[in-house]
């Protein structure tokens, strides 16, 4: 590009208007042509892998999508100027329900729809002016990508981390597919995507053994992740300590239970199985068969939340079978009831009505015995027949045979020892976490690379035959069956072992499988010898900072940690965690304060905004107007404040360009320099802490200080040149285009984004101090040290706080306060 030369040095420069629409595309093209943001391995510089969550290709890119990206980009740019070799990649999470459902709604083939969206989103994302390294773009529905998703699946399958089993699963009747537990949300148990209530279905499904990593996933020591995410994952994994106890039965195998209260074992007066429990059929006597069958049928139609609701009237039926309480040999009846879930513990409980409220209500309703076996301190010995509610507190053991009298703090431990010595049970840990269900009966996903041979059963597709391609010619509209199953030929293949006819698996994978490893594909998106180039892995991994929404806490953010640990154990990856630091941004809502959505009609589209205000203003607005961690409703009117700031910076910088050098008042120059260095310190610290709003307000203040200094005659002072240069460098991460343009117009070397971050000088930033004399009725009572630029009000407050003044005034209100700036404060209290 050409630059107008300043020929007449003493004439005021003619300042043209700030037109972002002219500046921004020009610099974006230049940066791309110069490959400014391509991140290459460079062992001489510290690396920084800055990852922001990749968007879905559902086609409704709205302005909220800029919120995680633009501030992250600013922070990445800052680190780059600090000397880090920063990689900031982007890609598309292109498989899965969001894209497929959107395509179905519009009656377009999902593939066509997805790639069309990617083209549009890519164009829109470029207008942000982010330092995305587009060379590293990865798209999860590209065969070159999902070849390796399938390769990972095969590694998991070969190492017993992937398995298929018949299971009652959550089924969305609208999306016509199974869902992972994490995708079923809310009290009403609705589908995360379409909000339809889910139902239970028995299906053969593929699972990943995430439960094998339950304990390790509870350890967050190596990572700096936000407390709410750690808490959500901890609760989701749901670890509890207790005991496993075996109850023998008369008609079937022993019933195993997990209990957190083994100390109440002598009070177990009946047992309750989940209606789905495997032993129900065997235990049920012919007399009770009809009632049991009816009850089981009824339960399958209820949701887990309905079943667990505390205020729900207890229901259940007796199976006719009995078990033996292992500690006292008592014959106790076995019931089934919906309040026991098949997925928690073993799907069976020992019921201790005296010490568990739900068991108590059940016992009262069906006339079952209540026997207190725990006596908490300060409670009178309870009477089982008179009790009106359970006593859940801990206490000394009573009515517990040889363990009666055991104090509360020893009760659990002694009971476990008692059980272990007799071979009746042992200490155990239980997790709420279930294995990750990854089969989907949908079209738009990576095919599961498994072949079924009549002779050899489940056989994985040989690696040299990957990818198993998803066919284009298919009925992709959902029918409730896997579309791949209905394809006339696709599923027909031969067994890799015996070459006889065999059939392919027709389910596809959960899209969360694709996103569990996308950060690895960014390392080398075109590499074809493995999922990633090991040399790139060694240099860039782990991810140093990761930004995105907290709504993924128990899904993507848990899956990707599991995935990494599994890869580590398979010798594919190194280290224990994939992402060292995580920060979650809030959400930009519609102008009405509600979540942006097409159906509400409150979507703020980026294209028209960029056209109206420019990317720099929008970037700065997003950082300035919200606390990044919180977000808030969109307000177009407020963008004007940021636009005014950029215009002010524009005319200030270009106006200063022509001033002849002339050192001015050295005290005022010192003041300006102090402000400059204070701003360097503040903006750097706030970028480090992801506090973007104060970054922008700090830059605005500095701009104002520069304007005031110019008014005060500092235009030609060297301090002014330093201030303007520093302002541009500090603002470069926030507003990369306007700063590049102004930098260039000042005749500085291209590019501003390759300059070093300004050095902070604590000596210059230091606030100068002076001594103020404090008088009462004209007599000197104290001397106090205060900042030189203190206001009269602040001086009065500081003097009032002096211990001598406090003592001498003794609560008296001075009649008058005289402040002589820079010299003294006099309190007038005496008579006139
Ligand atoms: Zn659904
Ligand atoms: Zn075979």
């Amino acid at each position: 590009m050409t630059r107008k030369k300043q020929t007449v040095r003493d004439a005021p420069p003619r300042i043209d208007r700030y037109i972002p629409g002219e500046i921004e595309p020009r610099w974006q093209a230049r940066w791309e042509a110069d490959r400014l943001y391509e991140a290459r391995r460079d062992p001489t510089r510290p690396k920084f892998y800055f990852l922001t969550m990749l968007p879905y290709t559902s086609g409704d890119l709205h302005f909220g999508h800029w919120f995680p990206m633009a501030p992250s980009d600013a922070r990445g740019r800052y680190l780059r100027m600090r000397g880090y070799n920063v990689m900031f990649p982007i890609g598309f999470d292109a498989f899965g329900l969001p894209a497929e459902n959107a395509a179905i709604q519009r009656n377009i083939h999902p593939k066509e729809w997805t790639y069309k969206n990617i083209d549009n989103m890519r164009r829109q994302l470029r207008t942000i002016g982010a330092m995305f390294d587009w060379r590293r773009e990865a798209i999860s529905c590209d065969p070159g990508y999902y070849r390796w998703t399938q390769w990972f699946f095969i590694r998991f399958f070969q190492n017993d981390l992937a398995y298929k089993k018949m299971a009652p699963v959550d089924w969305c009747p609208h999306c016509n597919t199974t869902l992972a537990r994490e995708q079923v949300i809310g009290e009403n148990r609705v589908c995360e995507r379409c909000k339809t209530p889910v139902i239970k279905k028995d299906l053969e499904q593929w699972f990943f053994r995430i439960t094998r990593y339950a304990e390790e996933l509870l350890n967050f020591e190596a990572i700096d992740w936000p407390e709410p995410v750690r808490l959500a994952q901890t609760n989701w994994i749901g670890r509890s300590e207790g005991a496993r106890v075996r109850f023998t039965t008369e008609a079937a195998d022993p019933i195993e239970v997990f209990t957190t209260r083994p100390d109440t074992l002598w009070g177990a007066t009946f047992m309750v199985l989940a209606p789905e429990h495997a032993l129900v059929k065997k235990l049920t006597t012919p007399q009770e068969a009809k009632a049991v069958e009816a009850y089981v049928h009824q339960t399958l139609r209820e949701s887990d939340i309905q079943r667990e609701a505390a205020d729900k009237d207890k229901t259940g039926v007796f199976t006719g079978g009995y078990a033996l309480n292992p500690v006292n040999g008592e014959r106790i009846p076995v019931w089934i009831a919906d309040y026991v879930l098949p997925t928690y513990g073993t799907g069976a409980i020992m019921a201790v009505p005296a010490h568990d409220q739900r068991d108590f209500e059940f016992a009262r309703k069906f006339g079952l015995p209540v026997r207190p076996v725990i006596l908490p301190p300060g409670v009178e010995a309870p009477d089982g027949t008179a009790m009106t509610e359970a006593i859940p507190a801990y206490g000394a053991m009573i009515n517990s045979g040889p363990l009666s009298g055991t104090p509360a703090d020893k009760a659990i431990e002694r009971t476990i020892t008692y059980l272990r010595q007799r071979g009746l049970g042992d200490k155990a840990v239980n997790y709420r976490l279930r294995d990750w269900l990854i089969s989907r009966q949908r079209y738009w996903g990576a095919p599961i690379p498994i072949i079924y041979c009549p002779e050899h059963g489940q056989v994985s597709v040989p690696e040299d035959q990957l990818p198993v391609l998803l066919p284009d010619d298919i009925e992709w509209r959902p029918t409730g069956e896997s579309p791949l199953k209905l394809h006339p030929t696709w599923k027909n293949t031969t067994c890799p072992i015996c070459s006889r006819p065999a059939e392919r698996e027709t389910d596809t994978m959960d899209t969360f499988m694709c996103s569990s490893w996308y950060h690895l594909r960014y390392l080398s998106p075109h590499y074809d010898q493995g999922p990633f180039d090991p040399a790139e892995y060694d240099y860039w991994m782990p991810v140093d900072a990761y930004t995105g929404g907290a709504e993924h806490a128990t899904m993507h953010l848990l899956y990707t940690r599991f995935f990494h640990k599994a890869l580590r154990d398979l010798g594919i990856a190194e280290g224990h965690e994939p992402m060292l630091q995580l920060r979650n941004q809030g959400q930009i809502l519609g102008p009405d304060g509600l979540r942006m959505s097409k159906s509400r009609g409150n979507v703020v589209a980026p294209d028209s905004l960029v056209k109206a205000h420019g990317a720099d203003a929008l970037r700065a607005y997003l950082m300035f107007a919200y606390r990044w961690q919180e977000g808030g409703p969109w307000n177009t009117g407020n963008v004007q404040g940021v636009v005014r700031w950029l215009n002010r910076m524009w005319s200030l910088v270009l106006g200063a360009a022509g001033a002849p050098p002339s050192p001015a008042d050295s005290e005022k120059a010192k003041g300006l320099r102090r402000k400059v260095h204070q701003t360097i310190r503040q903006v750097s610290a706030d970028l480090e802490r992801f506090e973007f709003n104060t970054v922008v307000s700090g830059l605005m203040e500095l701009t104002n200080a520069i304007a005031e200094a110019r008014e005060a005659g500092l235009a030609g002072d060297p301090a002014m040149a330093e201030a303007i240069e520093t302002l541009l460098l500090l603002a470069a991460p926030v507003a990369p285009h306007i700063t590049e343009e102004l930098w260039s117009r000042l005749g500085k070397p291209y590019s501003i984004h390759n300059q070093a971050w300004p050095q902070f000088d604590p000596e210059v930033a230091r606030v100068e101090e002076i001594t103020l004399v404090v008088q009462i009725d004209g007599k000197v009572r104290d001397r106090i040290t205060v900042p030189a630029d203190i206001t009269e009000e602040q001086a009065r407050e500081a003097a009032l706080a002096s211990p001598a003044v406090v003592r001498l005034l003794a609560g008296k209100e001075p009649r008058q306060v005289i402040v002589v700036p820079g010299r003294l404060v006099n309190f007038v209290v005496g008579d006139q």
Side-chain angles (χ1 to χ4, degrees):
M1 70 156 276
T2 55
R3 195 161 41 76
K4 259 187 266 168
K5 287 228 171 69
Q6 198 72 47
T7 45
V8 188
R9 296 240 63 167
D10 47 1
R14 202 184 61 84
I15 301 174
D16 52 354
R17 272 194 328 126
Y18 166 49
I19 305 170
E22 190 274 316
I23 295 168
E24 294 180 352
R26 179 156 48 78
W27 285 114
Q28 284 166 15
R30 171 94 189 260
W31 296 331
E32 186 140 0
D34 293 343
R35 317 174 100 184
L36 200 63
Y37 306 123
E38 291 183 7
R40 289 184 194 77
R41 299 199 303 273
D42 176 359
T44 65
R45 281 192 295 160
K47 68 93 182 179
F48 199 96
Y49 187 170
F50 203 138
L51 183 70
T52 192
M53 284 183 191
L54 82 180
Y56 286 125
T57 53
S58 49
D60 54 354
L61 192 76
H62 55 67
F63 198 65
H65 285 99
W66 280 41
F67 198 45
M69 292 175 191
S72 297
D73 176 64
R75 192 165 183 275
R77 288 174 175 278
Y78 154 74
L79 291 167
R80 196 168 172 278
M81 292 173 82
R82 287 271 314 276
Y84 286 95
N85 186 15
V86 180
M87 164 163 54
F88 190 55
I90 193 76
F92 298 96
D93 195 359
F95 265 145
L97 281 181
E100 189 173 356
N101 283 348
I104 288 164
Q105 263 179 21
R106 293 163 178 83
N107 207 25
I108 305 173
H109 194 289
K111 184 177 179 178
E112 188 192 335
W113 166 251
T114 301
Y115 280 97
K116 230 159 106 182
N117 272 316
I118 289 175
D119 284 343
N120 190 42
M121 289 171 79
R122 203 186 269 133
R123 179 190 61 73
Q124 289 183 317
L125 288 173
R126 278 173 196 272
T127 64
I128 297 179
M131 47 179 267
F132 291 131
D133 180 354
W134 286 100
R135 246 178 355 135
R136 294 181 180 271
E137 179 194 81
I139 300 174
S140 64
C141 68
D142 279 348
Y145 186 106
Y146 70 73
R147 168 187 180 185
W148 300 108
T149 308
Q150 292 174 336
W151 184 87
F152 283 124
F153 180 94
I154 290 169
R155 289 301 166 99
F156 281 22
F157 174 69
Q158 289 167 342
N159 290 280
D160 191 36
L161 284 166
Y163 67 94
K164 196 174 194 186
K165 75 164 184 200
M166 179 69 88
V169 293
D170 293 311
W171 175 269
C172 173
H174 179 257
C175 298
N176 272 306
T177 183
T178 54
L179 301 171
R181 276 173 87 217
E182 298 82 348
Q183 292 168 324
V184 179
I185 55 167
E187 297 236 336
N188 304 321
R189 289 182 40 84
V190 298
C191 168
E192 182 219 7
R193 299 282 176 223
C194 70
K195 311 293 182 264
T196 306
V198 303
I199 57 170
K200 291 271 183 201
K201 240 188 179 182
D202 270 333
L203 279 178
E204 268 220 287
Q205 301 285 297
W206 286 96
F207 292 87
F208 283 162
R209 281 193 208 283
I210 189 171
T211 51
R212 192 176 282 176
Y213 291 87
E215 192 63 42
E216 201 192 335
L217 287 167
L218 287 169
N219 184 343
F220 301 94
E221 268 168 33
I223 50 179
D224 167 19
W225 281 30
E227 173 77 19
V229 173
R230 286 184 280 138
L231 201 64
Q233 295 198 348
T234 302
N235 290 339
W236 186 255
I237 293 166
R239 182 186 198 276
S240 50
E241 285 183 10
R244 267 183 195 261
V245 188
R246 269 178 305 281
F247 288 68
T248 53
T249 63
E250 293 168 352
D253 301 332
I255 302 170
E256 204 169 52
V257 303
F258 170 81
T259 174
T260 56
R261 293 296 303 272
D263 54 328
T264 64
L265 197 41
W266 274 264
T269 53
F270 60 101
M271 297 192 81
V272 187
L273 305 188
E276 299 92 334
H277 196 283
L279 290 178
V280 170
K281 271 207 176 102
K282 281 190 185 166
L283 282 165
T284 303
T285 57
Q287 299 93 297
E288 308 295 339
K290 225 174 151 180
V292 167
E293 206 174 295
Y295 189 79
V296 170
H297 192 72
Q298 174 199 321
T299 305
L300 289 178
R301 289 198 307 250
E302 298 171 22
S303 74
D304 290 359
I305 298 288
Q306 288 169 329
R307 289 173 63 166
E308 284 189 293
D311 56 350
K312 182 176 175 286
D313 198 24
K314 294 288 169 292
T315 64
V317 294
F318 178 42
T319 62
Y322 287 85
L324 293 180
N325 185 328
V327 291
N328 57 16
E330 195 178 341
R331 195 165 173 263
I332 57 177
V334 181
W335 287 63
I336 60 171
D338 60 359
Y339 76 92
V340 178
L341 297 179
T343 47
Y344 184 79
T346 60
I349 61 156
M350 59 177 213
V352 185
H355 304 293
D356 179 282
Q357 186 59 24
R358 288 195 300 186
D359 296 348
F360 180 84
E361 286 165 22
F362 194 86
R364 282 288 185 258
K365 174 151 181 193
F366 295 104
L368 294 158
V370 177
R371 184 191 310 137
V373 293
I374 296 291
L375 187 62
V379 172
E380 261 183 60
D383 170 1
T385 47
M387 282 169 72
T388 54
E389 59 180 4
I391 303 169
Y394 291 89
M397 294 172 76
I398 54 170
N399 303 325
S400 296
L403 294 194
S404 289
T406 307
D409 60 337
K410 300 272 191 303
I412 289 179
E413 182 197 317
R414 280 199 193 153
T415 310
I416 290 174
T417 306
Y418 184 89
L419 290 168
R420 189 185 313 130
Q421 283 166 352
R422 287 159 185 76
L424 303 170
D426 209 338
K427 192 177 187 142
V429 173
N430 186 62
Y431 301 94
R432 195 174 153 264
L433 185 69
R434 299 293 104 195
D435 278 341
W436 174 13
L437 166 57
I438 61 130
S439 309
R440 296 292 179 273
Q441 291 69 47
R442 294 293 294 254
Y443 166 63
W444 195 234
I448 293 174
I450 290 289
I451 291 168
Y452 298 99
C453 168
E455 169 82 21
H456 296 100
Q458 302 166 350
V459 184
S460 56
V461 173
E463 279 178 27
D464 59 6
Q465 291 174 26
L466 297 180
V468 176
L469 282 171
L470 191 65
D472 293 340
D473 57 328
I474 201 145
E475 176 51 61
W476 37 268
R477 292 164 195 86
T479 59
E481 281 284 9
S482 302
L484 294 178
K485 199 182 248 176
L486 303 176
H487 191 280
T489 55
W490 184 83
K491 63 178 181 287
N492 302 328
T493 183
T494 53
C495 170
I497 300 172
C498 65
S499 304
R500 281 198 287 253
E503 282 197 4
R504 291 189 187 282
E505 169 64 65
T506 55
D507 283 356
T508 55
M509 286 184 238
D510 182 2
T511 183
F512 280 112
M513 166 84 181
C514 312
S515 57
S516 288
W517 72 281
Y518 75 104
H519 55 286
L520 296 175
R521 196 59 188 165
Y522 283 158
L523 298 172
S524 47
H526 308 294
Y527 190 67
D528 64 358
Q529 303 301 302
F532 53 81
D533 180 346
E536 294 277 322
Y537 184 99
D538 288 345
Y539 182 75
W540 291 109
M541 282 294 287
V543 171
D544 296 280
Y546 192 24
T547 55
E551 69 273 18
H552 295 286
T554 58
M555 291 192 269
H556 163 66
L557 290 170
L558 189 62
Y559 296 147
T560 195
R561 292 182 66 215
F562 152 68
F563 208 87
H564 185 88
K565 291 170 193 295
L567 296 193
R568 175 202 60 196
D569 291 349
L570 299 177
I572 300 167
E574 280 168 9
H576 302 303
E577 296 282 351
M579 292 123 186
L580 299 182
Q581 185 187 45
L582 172 74
R583 288 296 179 269
N584 304 119
Q585 82 284 350
Q587 214 172 45
I588 296 293
L589 305 167
D592 50 5
L594 299 170
R595 210 190 155 100
M596 283 191 207
S597 85
K598 280 229 165 98
S599 58
R600 283 203 188 94
N602 64 352
V603 168
V604 178
D607 285 354
S608 56
L609 283 173
V610 173
K611 212 169 166 196
H613 309 289
D616 281 340
L618 295 171
R619 292 170 59 105
Y621 172 75
L622 283 179
M623 291 179 229
F624 176 62
Y626 309 90
R627 258 202 92 215
W628 190 66
Q629 291 85 339
E630 288 163 10
W634 172 256
N635 186 334
T636 305
N638 291 348
V639 181
Q640 285 313 322
V642 177
V643 171
R644 269 196 300 277
W645 166 56
L646 292 176
N647 273 302
R648 190 163 206 204
M649 176 156 70
W650 177 266
S651 50
L652 208 51
V653 173
L654 294 182
S662 61
D665 184 327
S666 73
E667 269 312 305
K668 281 181 187 153
K670 244 170 143 180
L672 179 60
R673 293 201 70 210
R674 187 183 311 123
K675 182 71 191 169
V676 166
H677 282 267
Q678 285 172 344
T679 309
I680 297 174
R681 175 176 53 194
Q682 182 231 320
V683 166
S684 310
D686 290 345
L687 280 166
E688 290 287 346
R689 329 184 267 135
F690 295 84
E691 292 291 348
F692 300 103
N693 53 349
T694 47
V695 167
V696 180
S697 61
L699 293 171
M700 289 173 166
E701 276 181 37
L702 179 59
T703 310
N704 292 344
I706 293 173
E708 281 162 26
R710 196 175 63 168
E711 300 286 298
L714 252 60
D717 195 279
M720 179 59 84
E722 183 199 15
I724 292 225
E725 181 171 322
T726 308
L727 172 65
L728 291 180
L729 290 168
L730 295 181
V734 174
H737 310 89
I738 186 175
T739 51
E740 184 80 290
E741 176 74 15
L742 291 172
W743 189 256
S744 138
R745 291 195 186 202
L746 290 181
K748 308 250 178 210
Y750 172 83
S751 152
I752 192 171
H753 304 296
N754 284 344
Q755 305 304 312
W757 189 249
Q759 286 279 331
F760 161 64
D761 185 338
E763 198 44 47
V764 179
R766 199 169 56 85
V767 175
E768 274 185 64
E769 289 174 331
I770 51 167
T771 302
L772 279 187
V773 169
V774 182
Q775 298 175 335
I776 295 179
D777 290 333
K779 281 197 193 107
V780 176
R781 296 298 190 179
D782 201 357
R783 285 171 210 277
I784 57 173
T785 308
V786 295
D789 57 352
I790 196 167
T791 64
E792 281 192 26
E793 177 62 32
Q794 288 166 336
R796 186 171 17 232
E797 293 298 316
L800 263 178
S802 144
V805 172
V806 171
R807 183 164 41 84
L808 291 165
L809 286 185
K812 254 181 283 169
E813 194 72 22
R815 274 196 293 115
Q816 201 191 345
V817 184
I818 300 155
V819 180
V820 182
R823 290 187 51 205
L824 67 81
V825 181
N826 183 24
F827 296 104
V828 181
V829 268
D831 299 329
Q832 277 172 304

